[in-house]
Amino acid sequence: MSSVIENRATSTPQDMSKPTSVPETTDGFHLVIEALKLNDIDTIFGLPGIPITDLTRKAQVAGMRMISFRHEQNAGNAAAAAGFLTQKPGICLTVSAPGFLNGLTALANATTNCFPMILISGSSEREIVDLQQGDYEEMDQLAIAKPLCKAAYRVLHAEDIGIGIARAIRAALSGRPGGVYLDLPAKLFAQTMDAAAGRKSLIKVVDPAPRQIPAPDAVKRALDVLKGAKKPLILLGKGAAYAQADADIRALIEKTGIPYLPMSMAKGLLPDTHPQSASATRSHVLAEADVVMLIGARLNWLLSHGKGKTWGAAPKQFIQIDISPTEIDSNVAIAAPLIGDIGSCVSALLAGMGSGWAQPPAEWTSGIAERKDKNQSKMAAQLAARPSPMNFHSALSVIRDQVKTRPDAVVVNEGANTLDFARSIVDMYEPRKRLDVGTWGIMGIGMGFAVAAAVVTGKPVIAIEGDSAFGFSGMEVETICRYNLPVCVVVFNNNGVYKGTDVNPTGHPDVAPTVFVKNARYDKLMEAFGGVGVHATTADELQRALAEAVASGRPTLINAVIDETAGTESGRITSLNPQSAAMKK
Ligand code: FYN
Ligand code: ADP
């Protein structure tokens, strides 16, 4: 901490006779920075302003990476993605009230996704806020944050900064990871204290995400249920990707020979080309399986709550591996809950299986293989077509080929059709290389996630963006250029939300609510900040531009012109759109 301790003694002629040794002091700014650094946090995503501007400067001077954004929501999304990728809480730093609120959506989304992040916001003076006397950016931020995150804390005294940050880190990482809010009132930053006492007040969190070993009887129960299966299926969720137990998860799948389905952010845990992947016959395996083992995946809306038509008529038994005991039985009965961290649970299962674990019946696996082959051939034909203008398949086939040659690239993906088609078309080969709209199906994560992926991994990032989705965070292309990040944004431009063909039936000159400016040139946006902009109207043009962007690492935006009639309302989740009673008749 010596680098940040300031000797505040001033030397004047009158002082000359006094002893020269004066106590070193430190302050709130430096204590916050040192507390983070002590816990190996080296990057802050944020946006400077009152009262945290100097904190951003001092953090940079102290050797931290300070990534400044144009809007706090994008900084928050970056922090959340960094948390998912690194198992360290991503830090988002904002100003008070409006900045805090802008960051809050990302904090709530991180919590929903089980990503560890800490939103640190400066706040106005407690005395004035609590008496509601109208302070600058007055808001009771702690109260507002509480219901939207896993934990929320406020620090009032410099000597408590170490404790506050330690509690925030532990809350974000332990058990089910999630978002934590840390409120730092403006006055705190300038508070001074003796440097040695300050140093002593800091805490290096020991074992912030303790392993949680599953109970032996729970392991045995899970194995017994699995043993009895005729049509077993394993479902991998983003919790399994987060857990970084990649080798054991692969070993479990390969040892058991059980077909598996990755949820979207678990794609690449095993290569999507793996012979046991059942992605290409998803509906069939969900409906037909008799025993389903969930590994870090919740039975929420994305899995039709574990019931209904998706799951077919055949009776099902579920085995669920999760760190959160209250997840069990949340939607349907779970026959064999296995509570613990995924690494410990999977290795306990492997140990319990011993050698000679029986493979699933051949009629189950060969039936899956047949359907898979058929569906993949159908898909291959669609991908090979070169329609003009491009459609989702032809444009995505280019990205699919590029990712195949650069499996280390991170794919960020949002939109409706752009999301749904990309999920099934773009194969992933390595774990934690796909970041997308997650549990909420949120739009606006694109540029924040892309910046974080580039900063954290140093690898090329390909952001596959619907034109609507891109609009939520598009201004961050300036951030991408400013930090010269290896991000290639591909905007799937079909002139509107879902598609660009809606008309306003009233005859009023306003266009329909789902329609954008026709033939917009999103590529010019990137050029405005010194990046590379490409207008691609054919698959060949797209291929050349993408290959060049990935090879050069230069910030690039490709405006990929897609047939404006392509796409369906809400992609593959049209059924969630309420329809008016009159229309249903
Ligand atoms: C998948 N499929 C394939 C392949 N991969 N066919 C051939 N080859 C390959 N490689 C098939 C698969 O078997 C499915 O067909 C179909 O393609 C779709 O697969 P997907 O995408 O895996 O599955 P599905 O049914 O779309 O998944 C359900 C879902 C998913 C809810 C998990 O839709 C999802 O994650 N949605 C998120 C949507 C969202 O958040 N949108 C943002 C808001 S948009 P069948 O087996 O025949 O079914 C606001 O409007
Ligand atoms: P998906 O959307 O991919 O299906 P979900 O976000 O629904 O995945 O589920 C992730 C689950 O993983 C959550 O229930 C969470 O508690 C769990 N989880 C996260 N990290 C771990 C871990 N290290 N060990 C065990 N479970 C975990």
Side-chain angles (χ1 to χ4, degrees), residues 4 57 93 109 114 118 120 139 219 287 354 379 381 444 450 484 535:
V4 293
R57 290 197 189 102
L93 181 62
N109 188 49
C114 314
I118 303 173
I120 302 179
M139 177 172 278
V219 175
M379 163 95 85
N484 194 25
H535 181 61

Side-chain angles (χ1 to χ4, degrees), residues 263-264 278-284 301-302 375-376 379 400 415-416 419-420 423-425 427 437-438 440-443 498 570-573:
M263 299 299 286
S264 64
S279 287
T281 179
R282 187 176 193 277
S283 295
H284 168 72
W301 72 278
L302 289 159
N375 293 348
Q376 281 175 339
M379 163 95 85
R400 172 186 164 105
L419 175 87
D420 289 340
R423 188 177 55 246
S424 51
I425 292 172
D427 286 334
V437 303
W440 263 352
I442 192 172
M443 296 296 115
Y498 310 129
S570 306
R572 284 182 60 86
I573 53 174

Side-chain angles (χ1 to χ4, degrees), residues 333-350:
I334 302 297
L338 197 50
I339 303 304
D341 69 276
I342 286 167
S344 300
C345 291
V346 171
S347 68
L349 287 174
L350 279 168

Side-chain angles (χ1 to χ4, degrees), residues 260 262 264 266-274 277 279-280 372 376 379 383 396-411 421-430 433-434 462 464:
Y260 74 94
S264 64
K267 277 165 69 74
L269 252 174
L270 288 83
D272 280 334
T273 48
H274 194 281
S277 167
S279 287
K372 225 176 108 171
Q376 281 175 339
M379 163 95 85
L383 294 177
L396 284 166
S397 75
V398 168
I399 300 180
R400 172 186 164 105
D401 292 345
Q402 180 63 50
V403 173
K404 195 172 179 179
T405 62
R406 281 302 300 262
D408 59 329
V410 182
V411 168
F421 284 119
R423 188 177 55 246
S424 51
I425 292 172
V426 180
D427 286 334
M428 305 305 300
Y429 300 87
E430 294 180 9
K433 295 295 187 187
R434 187 182 153 88
I462 302 171
I464 310 172

